[in-house]
Amino acid sequence: QFTKPNEESIDYPDMAKEAGQKALADAGIPYSAVEQACVGYVYGDSTCGQRAIYHSLGLTGIPIVNVNNNCATGSTALFMARQLVEGGLADCVLALGFERMAKGSLASAFSDRTNPIDKHLEIMINKYGLASAPVAPQMFGNAGKEHMEKYGTNPEYFAKIAWKNHSHSTNNPYSQFQKEYTLDEVLHSRKIYDFLTVLQCCPTSNGAAAAILASEEFVKRHKLQPKAVEILAQVMATDYPSTFEENSCMKMVGYDMTKKAAEKCFEKAGLKPTDVDVIELHDCFSVNEFITYEALGLCPEGKACDLIDRGDNTYGGKWVINPSGGLISKGHPLGATGM
C-alpha cells in the first residue's frame, strides 16, 4: 500500500520485504533462484538496496545494483533487469523499488553544486518567470499554460483528468487515496500554482513495488507459463536538442522524449496506439497526463480535449487510462512508482 509519509511509517526494509516476498510468492519461486537484483530508490544513503534485501529476502551473495533516476527510478530498475535477461546474462532477476519520503513538496538536497535541472528551469524562467510556488508544479503548470496559449485549451480539462483518476482510485486497495471527488471539488481545492489545485497534483508517498524478470527458458523450466507476462517492448529515452532549443515548456517537461519513446515502443511491438486497451502513464500533475495523450499518439496534437469529451480515457471509452487512480490518487513514492 502506498501511504502518506509520517514519523510512524514503516521503514524501507519492511516495505521492500513485503513487496519482494509478495512478488516471489506470486511467481512461485524462492529467492535463491534470483541471480541478480536491481533496486531503485531516490531518498536514502548509498546501498539502501543491499540493506533492504539482505535480511528480508536473503544473503546469497548476488550482485545488487542500486538505481537512482528520479521519477523514472522504478522503471529504470525494471529496464536494467530486463536487459540482463534479454542479453542472456541472467535467467532470473529481481527488480525492486521503494521510497520513504519527507512530507511536502520535493526539495533539492544539495545547495553547493549544480542543480541537474538548471538548464530546464532556464527555459521556464525565460518564458514565464519564477513564482514562489514549489518548482515541480510550476514546470508542469507552465507546460499547461503553453498548451492553453497554443490551442485555446480550457484548464477545466486538466481538472477533468484528476476527477477521472480520483474516481478510478476507488477500485485500488493499494492507493494512498481512495476517495471520489466532484469536478467542482477538484477545481476549487487548495491552489498550488496558477490553475493547478492540490487534487491535480500527486502527493508524496511511502511505498514499494517489485517484479521478477525471467527468461523464456526459466519460465518453461519452472512451469510458470500461466503466470508469466511477456514484455513485448520497453524503450527508455532522454532529452533531445529540441528540449533546450525551442523555448517550449511542454518540451522542457519531456514531450519529445515521450513521443520518440512511444513511437519506438509501438514499432518494436508491431502495434499502434489503437491496438492498446489499458494505459498507465505518469500523471505527476494532471497537465502531464493531458499532454502525454498527444505525445503517445492517442490523438493529434491539440486534440486531447476531444478525447476527454468522448470519454475515451475511462471505462466504456477507447482506453482506460490510469485505472490505478494514477499518481494523483495512488501516490508517488519515486523508487516504486515506475515499477
Side-chain angles (χ1 to χ4, degrees):
Q1 173 129 29
F2 287 4
T3 59
K4 192 181 174 70
N6 61 49
E7 292 68 39
E8 288 83 58
S9 295
I10 63 166
D11 208 352
Y12 72 89
D14 294 317
M15 291 191 254
K17 177 181 184 177
E18 184 183 337
Q21 286 183 348
K22 282 182 172 172
L24 289 162
D26 182 60
I29 58 164
Y31 178 66
S32 57
V34 173
E35 295 164 29
Q36 296 202 35
C38 302
V39 186
Y41 63 94
V42 176
Y43 299 108
D45 291 320
S46 186
T47 67
C48 283
Q50 279 85 334
R51 176 63 184 86
I53 284 180
Y54 283 3
H55 301 283
S56 60
L57 301 181
L59 289 146
T60 54
I62 61 165
I64 296 174
V65 180
N66 292 277
V67 183
N68 175 345
N69 219 6
N70 218 356
C71 303
T73 295
S75 33
T76 304
L78 193 76
F79 182 81
M80 290 176 68
R82 194 206 86 250
Q83 286 192 320
L84 288 168
V85 175
E86 197 174 51
L89 303 173
D91 266 338
C92 180
V93 182
L94 169 69
L96 175 68
F98 55 78
E99 209 67 69
R100 183 169 181 179
M101 298 181 77
K103 289 178 185 170
S105 297
L106 302 186
S108 182
F110 299 97
S111 54
D112 63 343
R113 62 204 73 185
T114 303
N115 186 306
I117 57 166
D118 65 335
K119 297 292 183 194
H120 292 78
L121 284 173
E122 260 174 45
I123 294 160
M124 182 187 85
I125 292 164
N126 287 341
K127 193 159 185 178
Y128 294 112
L130 189 64
S132 58
V135 168
Q138 282 188 69
M139 289 170 77
F140 288 92
N142 287 326
K145 212 181 276 188
E146 186 179 302
H147 200 282
M148 287 154 66
E149 288 166 9
K150 206 169 169 184
Y151 301 109
T153 310
N154 182 335
E156 195 168 292
Y157 280 92
F158 305 138
K160 282 180 178 178
I161 282 173
W163 173 44
K164 179 262 305 175
N165 285 352
H166 282 294
S167 163
H168 287 178
S169 74
T170 58
N171 302 314
N172 180 3
Y174 290 116
S175 184
Q176 183 169 327
F177 302 124
Q178 292 159 51
K179 188 181 169 194
E180 201 160 349
Y181 295 92
T182 63
L183 180 58
D184 208 49
E185 285 174 314
V186 173
L187 282 164
H188 296 107
S189 58
R190 181 167 54 91
K191 271 207 179 339
I192 299 298
Y193 171 70
D194 205 293
F195 56 82
L196 275 181
T197 61
V198 72
L199 290 175
Q200 296 180 63
C201 305
C202 67
T204 49
S205 321
N206 293 344
I212 309 291
L213 290 97
S215 66
E216 203 147 345
E217 262 31 285
F218 183 97
V219 168
K220 285 174 181 162
R221 197 162 65 244
H222 291 81
K223 299 186 172 52
L224 296 172
Q225 292 95 322
K227 290 177 179 289
V229 177
E230 186 178 3
I231 297 178
L232 288 183
Q234 186 187 19
V235 172
M236 185 173 171
T238 54
D239 285 297
Y240 293 88
S242 58
T243 300
F244 303 100
E245 289 170 358
E246 297 184 21
N247 196 34
S248 160
C249 284
M250 279 166 61
K251 300 205 166 184
M252 176 267 292
V253 297
Y255 187 86
D256 281 358
M257 59 173 155
T258 303
K259 193 174 190 312
K260 292 270 195 351
E263 283 166 1
K264 284 181 186 171
C265 212
F266 283 121
E267 194 183 319
K268 263 190 182 181
L271 297 167
K272 45 194 191 304
T274 48
D275 295 321
V276 174
D277 297 315
V278 181
I279 298 172
E280 279 284 337
L281 55 77
H282 196 85
D283 60 316
C284 45
F285 301 92
S286 56
V287 170
N288 201 41
E289 174 163 334
F290 183 95
I291 64 175
T292 301
Y293 291 173
E294 298 179 7
L296 292 177
L298 307 185
C299 59
E301 291 186 5
K303 297 292 181 193
C305 293
D306 296 348
L307 186 153
I308 293 166
D309 282 338
R310 290 192 303 269
D312 276 344
N313 58 355
T314 187
Y315 296 94
K318 176 73 198 88
W319 299 280
V320 183
I321 303 178
N322 283 337
S324 65
L327 279 61
I328 283 171
S329 304
K330 78 172 176 230
H332 183 18
L334 277 65
T337 298
M339 201 81 70

